[in-house]
Amino acid sequence: MDPTSPPHSASHVAVGDAVRALAFIGDLSMGQPVDHSLRTAWIASRLAAVLGRDTAQQRHCHDVALLRWSGCTANAPDVSDLIGDDVNGRREMLATSSRSLPANMLAAIDGAGGLTAIHCEVSGDVARTLGLAPVVEHALRHIFEHCDSHAEGVPLEVFMVAVAGDLEIFSRVYGISRALAFIAAKADVYYPVALVDMLRQHAADWLHSLEQGAAASDLAADTAGGATALLELIADVIDLKLPWLTGFSRKVASTARQCGAALGLDDQALQRIYRAALIHGIGRASVPNNIWDAAGPPGEGAAEQLRLVPYWTARAVRRIGSLSAEAEIASFVDERLDGSGFFRGASGAAISLEAQVLAAAAHWVLLQTSRPGRPALDLAQVTARMQA
């Protein structure tokens, strides 16, 4: 076997870990707090319980809520073209019930059919690839349906997650009383009246439980009965955000592993580097596409968002115990030996050899990647730039 090639098991993680990583990416993409999907999943599963759904059906609601934004990176370029800032624009949309939106956002909503179709297709494919229940996949493929139109055959999980998500957002932004009023105004349009009535009875208690940390226990919840998934799936979802980054994380992972092998690192170190490379770009979801696509140097505000990308990557995967070592390596991807990197400004021996390998590999691949306003460099140019 080629020592530079990862073994088949090198990137396997528990499906539950993959789902939670994808939920984190979705929350960043939608401009939400990083526990939004987890809190929504907790509310949705409780709503299913009080409606008499069994444990399996409660789990389905939970999984749909965690993955409902997993298609966000796929349509980010088009959303950015429509409204400019795909991250904060989505945040404003989610925080709006019947109040007015800027004209450009209203136009985006009116013409969003194609964008939502892309989102739903990717989310459904993610669920199928992870081996989740067919009802989870089916619900994700219809996640934007309203109960007043084309609702025949749409799983009830879609509407339970929708009302749970609105309660989580509206109560956080406007308080519980206004949140329930906004939700009531959507009854029988966005979601069935029966769900709204049940939510009204329990909302205060559920929100109180969430503030006491009730959703935290779901971090350890088992999804798909202990099955595993490949980190390459997460890498591919990350890279969908920017068309010019297609396959980027896989290329970085392969390059980093080859570099580590050439340096004589052992198999465990090579596996850590490979896995860290696959997930090193999670934090990119927090930065609007128009910043990534800008041809010139970023302004200070944009530069600060870019500096925090590895911070958000570390936050994401440190929530997943099986990736804690890889999270530490990945969070150093933009550090430099002379202290000029970010987000820590670490230097010298503070950057482990594994982290140095990943940082070098990521920069090596990036220099060979064509992006708006910055053509790819050839091998000789990249070598000279790296040596300099």
Side-chain angles (χ1 to χ4, degrees):
M1 179 181 293
D2 183 350
T4 65
S5 299
H8 180 68
S9 62
S11 60
H12 279 267
V13 294
V15 166
D17 285 351
V19 168
R20 285 182 283 275
L22 291 166
F24 194 101
I25 295 168
D27 288 344
L28 290 181
S29 297
M30 299 299 290
Q32 296 303 301
V34 294
D35 62 347
H36 160 65
S37 289
L38 190 65
R39 288 164 61 92
T40 298
W42 189 89
I43 295 171
S45 62
R46 297 312 177 275
L47 181 57
V50 298
L51 288 171
R53 296 297 184 102
D54 62 26
T55 302
Q57 292 169 316
Q58 294 170 36
R59 185 76 226 179
H60 296 159
C61 279
H62 191 273
D63 291 344
V64 171
L66 288 180
L67 289 177
R68 70 172 177 153
W69 303 138
S70 59
C72 288
T73 54
N75 63 14
D78 295 315
V79 173
S80 180
D81 288 343
L82 281 171
I83 63 177
D85 185 332
D86 55 297
V87 176
N88 291 303
R90 283 165 161 166
R91 177 181 54 77
E92 289 184 42
M93 287 182 181
L94 290 181
T96 302
S97 65
S98 58
R99 292 161 301 288
S100 61
L101 280 168
N104 65 326
M105 289 192 184
L106 290 172
I109 292 172
D110 289 340
L115 302 187
T116 57
I118 293 170
H119 180 124
C120 292
E121 180 180 356
V122 170
S123 295
D125 288 350
V126 165
R128 185 180 65 227
T129 302
L130 292 173
L132 299 181
V135 69
V136 174
E137 176 188 343
H138 186 51
L140 290 168
R141 294 193 187 279
H142 295 82
I143 200 64
F144 293 108
E145 296 286 359
H146 296 166
C147 74
D148 64 343
S149 62
H150 310 296
E152 185 176 352
V154 177
L156 186 62
E157 284 82 358
V158 169
F159 305 121
M160 287 192 280
V161 169
V163 74
D166 277 357
L167 176 64
E168 200 287 321
I169 294 171
F170 292 163
S171 63
R172 173 165 33 86
V173 177
Y174 305 108
I176 185 171
S177 296
R178 294 179 68 191
L180 290 174
F182 295 150
I183 289 170
K186 293 182 175 184
D188 219 19
V189 178
Y190 279 28
Y191 16 69
V193 173
L195 297 187
V196 176
D197 290 342
M198 191 64 72
L199 193 75
R200 186 183 294 114
Q201 294 177 41
H202 298 278
D205 289 340
W206 288 343
L207 292 173
H208 176 73
S209 295
L210 283 174
E211 292 311 308
Q212 303 305 308
S217 61
D218 284 0
L219 283 172
D222 182 29
T223 295
T228 62
L230 293 175
L231 278 179
E232 283 84 356
L233 171 64
I234 297 174
D236 292 342
V237 170
I238 292 167
D239 293 349
L240 283 173
K241 180 171 172 64
L242 296 161
W244 50 270
L245 277 183
T246 301
F248 181 81
S249 297
R250 288 182 185 244
K251 293 174 187 175
V252 173
S254 177
T255 301
R257 184 178 176 87
Q258 291 178 52
C259 179
L263 291 171
L265 298 182
D266 63 30
D267 289 344
Q268 290 185 330
L270 294 179
Q271 176 167 308
R272 285 192 296 270
I273 292 171
Y274 182 79
R275 288 158 63 92
L278 289 174
I279 49 88
H280 82 275
I282 283 180
R284 286 200 296 266
S286 66
V287 180
N289 275 33
N290 56 9
I291 292 178
W292 289 113
D293 288 336
E300 182 55 32
E304 183 60 22
Q305 293 187 65
L306 294 170
R307 283 192 286 265
L308 289 175
V309 166
Y311 164 78
W312 286 117
T313 297
R315 283 285 308 277
V317 287
R318 278 182 180 144
R319 296 161 66 103
I320 304 168
S322 64
L323 293 173
S324 59
E326 289 83 352
E328 186 68 12
I329 298 168
S331 69
F332 280 85
V333 70
D334 289 324
E335 303 290 355
R336 298 293 179 260
L337 288 177
D338 64 357
S340 63
F342 45 85
F343 62 100
R344 298 177 184 86
S347 63
I351 308 174
S352 71
L353 179 57
E354 292 173 24
Q356 291 178 41
V357 168
L358 175 57
H363 197 54
W364 175 268
V365 175
L366 182 62
L367 290 174
Q368 297 180 74
T369 302
S370 180
R371 58 180 296 183
R374 301 181 191 180
L377 303 182
D378 62 31
L379 185 59
Q381 291 172 317
V382 172
T383 301
R385 182 76 62 87
M386 295 286 286
Q387 288 174 338

